[in-house]
Amino acid sequence: MQDKIQHLAELWIGYKIRLIERVGLSNDAMHVHGSLLILFVSAVVLRRRPDSLWCWLIVLVAELFNEYADLRGEAPGEASLDASLHDLYNTMFWPTIILVLGRFLFPRVKLKAKHASPQSSELAHQPLEQATTT
């Protein structure tokens, strides 16, 4: 299992280096953009709001795997604990802000069914004819 994870980490680092070269953004910018992309794609796939804890956890797992690959020494200049903590901060900052503020500014509202039949207790005060036509 460890060999498969190591091989996957090596493949990821090669892809990441080529992506940074082609896009032309800094490593920090790639972390910020990548985290938001993963957050919103996971929200669509999971059919959840972006402020869902599940979406946030997916970003965290992806970032921890990325830092694992970096710390294995495959990425140039990224194999230090300081660099990993810096990347973790850059990656998780906006998803964490979305998680926290989304829950306070846009609380979840439970929706009632539009055409739900009334409860029998609500019909108790109506005559029989009105209650059956409702």
Side-chain angles (χ1 to χ4, degrees):
M1 180 70 170
Q2 182 69 22
D3 292 336
K4 289 181 181 181
I5 293 174
Q6 180 61 32
H7 180 67
L8 189 59
E10 291 170 4
L11 291 174
W12 166 244
I13 292 300
Y15 174 74
K16 183 174 102 169
I17 291 170
R18 288 190 305 275
L19 184 65
I20 289 172
E21 289 172 356
R22 288 189 181 166
V23 173
L25 293 174
S26 69
N27 190 32
D28 289 344
M30 291 296 285
H31 276 270
V32 172
H33 292 300
S35 69
L36 292 174
L37 179 66
I38 293 169
L39 181 75
F40 289 115
V41 167
S42 67
V44 169
V45 169
L46 296 177
R47 294 182 179 183
R48 295 185 174 267
R49 293 172 27 154
D51 63 349
S52 164
L53 183 61
W54 289 106
C55 297
W56 185 87
L57 286 172
I58 289 172
V59 176
L60 179 63
V61 167
E63 174 54 18
L64 291 176
F65 174 75
N66 181 59
E67 293 314 311
Y68 167 79
D70 286 349
L71 287 172
R72 299 296 294 173
E74 302 296 328
E78 295 288 321
S80 72
L81 187 58
D82 287 339
S84 291
L85 291 175
H86 178 79
D87 289 348
L88 185 66
Y89 168 78
N90 271 338
T91 303
M92 297 308 298
F93 179 79
W94 284 113
T96 303
I97 294 297
I98 291 169
L99 174 73
V100 173
L101 290 182
R103 291 177 174 242
F104 289 113
L105 296 178
F106 307 103
R108 288 171 168 71
V109 178
K110 292 185 179 182
L111 300 175
K112 294 183 180 180
K114 290 182 180 179
H115 302 293
S117 60
Q119 298 292 327
S120 62
S121 62
E122 295 171 1
L123 301 174
H125 67 282
Q126 296 178 357
L128 183 59
E129 294 84 32
Q130 286 181 339
T132 57
T133 59
T134 304

